[in-house]
Amino acid sequence: MNTLLESYFERLEHCRPWRWQGRVLDALGQTIESAGPMASVGECAEIVDHRGGRHGAEVIGFRGSNVLSMPLESAEGIRFGDTVVALGTRPRIEAGPALKGRVLDSEGEPLDGLARPRTGTKLLLEGAVRPALERVAIREPLGTGIRVIDSLLTVGRGQRVGIFGGSGVGKSTLVGMMTRNTEADVTVVGLVGERGREVGEFLEEALGEEGRRRSVVVVSTSDESPLRRMRAALAATTIAESFAAEGAHVLLVLDSLTRYAMAAREVGLAAGEPPTAKGYTPSVFARLAKLIERAGHFGTGSITAFYSVLMEGDDQQDPLVDAVRSLLDGHIVLSRMLASEGWYPPVEVLDSISRLMPAVSAPAQREHAALIRKLMAVYARSEDLVRIGAYKTGADPELDRAVGARERIRAFLAQNARETTSFADSLDGLARLAREV
């Protein structure tokens, strides 16, 4: 009862005792223009159509003295003169331990056929970014169960890492491996703009029954409005923050950051923002920075975040890719050429980096990793000569060594999607490989 009363009084505290109203003047695509109500950007609203139906919406901007809002669902049924009501609240979601094992949509409604979880705590989706001096230095490595990452691209607990790759290269497969194998107390997965067909497959194959018990999955499919796709990413981050505040070490997996940016672009363009590179509006990059900065290592807990990023045309210089890479603590680049050779996971080690590896790895590991990287770089520089038979053995001792080590390196780095390996085993394997080559 006390919990219910607390929730009730909290709601009263954040709600106004009155509601401003306005009238619909125009509708263009997903944008509704209205005379009033008095509301602020980001505030929840409701459009009441002539049949009495209620359409949830959010205020996204202003045009002169008129208000621009966007419905959470389709704008069908809304007509000129319908009432627009400002609710006086901002988007919130239930957060707490009761969410473990659940599959939710961006509004916190269950998608798994069970009752709606009640935690007694509702948090703002647009949470505040922690101040810089509240963050704790990252010194502890985090095992992902993937040899190439644990040995050559070691990740620290609380690090933010991007998984960059073109379409169909294996980003979702790698994300699934990380979700299933990473050492964390709680896993929060945000599927943003996902294909509906792949949601069930992800739950069954990537997470599995054991993984689902310690996970929270927030889903927004590709057919939903841009606001709901954005809210899925924000909701997943908010839920991760709630667990971290309780002292848990959380793994946050967001698939994908690109679809979040695309949804933000749609909202920005609808609000009248000027487009910049590839049509992205200035607010998109500000939103990305704020979302990514909410993860990290704090005094009470940590959020280790993996964000998948689509490289259109496998272009690493894409404006969005370049912007995201500058915000993250490391990036893992997937190669289409390696994938076509059947090398999985197709991580292009020479293009990938973990900025925190020097802080979370031992000197011996760094030496071994540097040796393997050096041999891979030597082979990459002369790969074409070796393939066409133009190189003669003995002309370059370093290249001879790299050619001889090529198959051993591949055997070590390649890993089946269902194969699991501990962090210690990965480091032992790296040390053996360094001695052999």
Side-chain angles (χ1 to χ4, degrees):
M1 181 64 71
N2 289 338
T3 303
L4 291 175
L5 285 174
E6 288 174 7
S7 176
Y8 174 72
F9 286 122
E10 183 186 3
R11 186 174 179 83
L12 285 180
E13 184 180 346
H14 291 97
C15 291
R16 289 197 299 250
W18 65 88
R19 290 182 176 177
W20 298 101
Q21 294 188 359
R23 295 287 175 183
V24 173
L25 298 178
D26 192 14
L28 181 62
Q30 285 286 95
T31 308
I32 305 297
E33 185 173 348
S34 60
M38 187 178 294
S40 58
V41 173
E43 187 174 329
C44 294
E46 201 171 58
I47 303 171
V48 184
D49 64 28
H50 64 288
R51 299 176 184 272
R54 296 180 178 273
H55 306 256
E58 183 177 313
V59 177
I60 61 171
F62 306 98
R63 182 175 293 138
S65 60
N66 294 335
V67 176
L68 300 177
S69 55
M70 180 175 285
L72 296 177
E73 304 292 345
S74 170
E76 289 183 10
I78 299 173
R79 68 180 186 181
F80 180 86
D82 285 345
T83 303
V84 182
V85 182
L87 301 182
T89 60
R90 292 182 175 274
R92 294 172 176 266
I93 193 168
E94 296 266 359
L99 298 184
K100 275 189 182 180
R102 301 303 304 273
V103 183
L104 311 170
D105 67 8
S106 57
E107 306 300 307
E109 297 292 338
L111 297 176
D112 50 14
L114 303 177
R116 177 168 182 164
R118 298 291 182 183
T119 65
T121 303
K122 275 198 168 186
L123 300 178
L124 283 170
L125 291 187
E126 290 278 3
V129 176
R130 295 282 192 98
L133 295 183
E134 285 188 15
R135 297 176 181 270
V136 177
I138 298 173
R139 295 290 182 267
E140 184 183 353
L142 179 71
T144 64
I146 302 172
R147 277 192 298 273
V148 62
I149 296 175
D150 289 347
S151 58
L152 302 180
L153 304 165
T154 310
V155 173
R157 194 179 291 280
Q159 188 170 346
R160 293 87 51 93
V161 182
I163 303 171
F164 296 79
S167 56
V169 176
K171 295 187 300 300
S172 296
T173 302
L174 189 63
V175 163
M177 292 174 69
M178 290 177 172
T179 305
R180 192 167 53 250
N181 301 329
T182 301
E183 302 163 356
D185 300 325
V186 185
T187 301
V188 180
V189 181
L191 301 179
V192 182
E194 188 60 87
R195 305 174 190 87
R197 173 187 62 81
E198 294 187 349
V199 174
E201 293 178 5
F202 180 85
L203 295 175
E204 292 177 13
E205 298 176 12
L207 280 180
E209 187 177 344
E210 179 62 31
R212 281 188 64 173
R213 278 198 290 267
R214 62 180 180 90
S215 301
V216 184
V217 182
V218 183
V219 179
S220 173
T221 52
S222 57
D223 62 301
E224 294 185 357
S225 71
L227 279 178
R228 297 200 65 162
R229 280 178 270 147
M230 288 177 61
R231 286 187 180 185
L234 295 171
T237 305
T238 300
I239 292 169
E241 286 175 331
S242 71
F243 283 110
E246 298 296 325
H249 294 296
V250 184
L251 171 67
L252 172 64
V253 178
L254 206 58
D255 186 15
S256 75
L257 202 60
T258 304
R259 289 195 284 263
Y260 170 80
M262 288 178 173
R265 176 175 62 184
E266 290 182 50
V267 174
L269 291 173
E273 283 190 76
T276 57
K278 283 207 168 183
Y280 288 105
T281 58
S283 66
V284 171
F285 301 100
R287 289 178 186 271
L288 283 171
K290 185 175 181 181
L291 180 70
I292 291 170
E293 280 296 322
R294 290 170 68 180
H297 199 310
F298 313 108
T300 53
S302 67
I303 302 174
T304 306
F306 288 99
Y307 303 99
S308 71
V309 181
L310 174 67
M311 295 194 305
E312 295 183 16
D314 296 333
D315 180 13
Q316 293 193 41
Q317 306 310 316
D318 179 278
L320 180 66
V321 171
D322 204 40
V324 171
R325 189 165 47 216
S326 69
L327 296 171
L328 295 169
D329 304 320
H331 52 273
I332 299 168
V333 178
L334 304 186
S335 164
R336 191 174 299 277
M337 185 179 71
L338 293 180
S340 65
E341 293 179 3
W343 183 326
Y344 279 96
V347 175
E348 184 55 77
V349 174
L350 299 179
D351 290 341
S352 306
I353 191 171
S354 170
R355 292 192 174 101
L356 290 174
M357 184 174 174
V360 299
S361 58
Q365 181 195 347
R366 294 198 293 273
E367 289 178 12
H368 298 153
L371 172 61
I372 301 305
R373 277 180 170 270
K374 176 184 176 182
L375 293 176
M376 295 179 78
V378 168
Y379 181 86
R381 283 198 299 268
S382 304
E383 184 175 6
D384 292 341
L385 294 176
V386 174
R387 287 183 180 275
I388 65 175
Y391 172 73
K392 292 184 179 180
T393 305
D396 183 346
E398 280 293 329
L399 182 53
D400 291 341
R401 186 183 182 190
V403 172
R406 175 72 172 174
E407 288 305 315
R408 287 193 183 94
I409 293 174
R410 174 168 181 165
F412 173 71
L413 299 183
Q415 184 174 343
N416 186 279
R418 287 293 170 186
E419 181 185 352
T420 59
T421 182
S422 68
F423 184 74
D425 288 343
S426 294
L427 298 191
D428 289 343
L430 176 64
R432 284 196 304 273
L433 177 63
R435 287 194 298 269
E436 291 173 0
V437 299

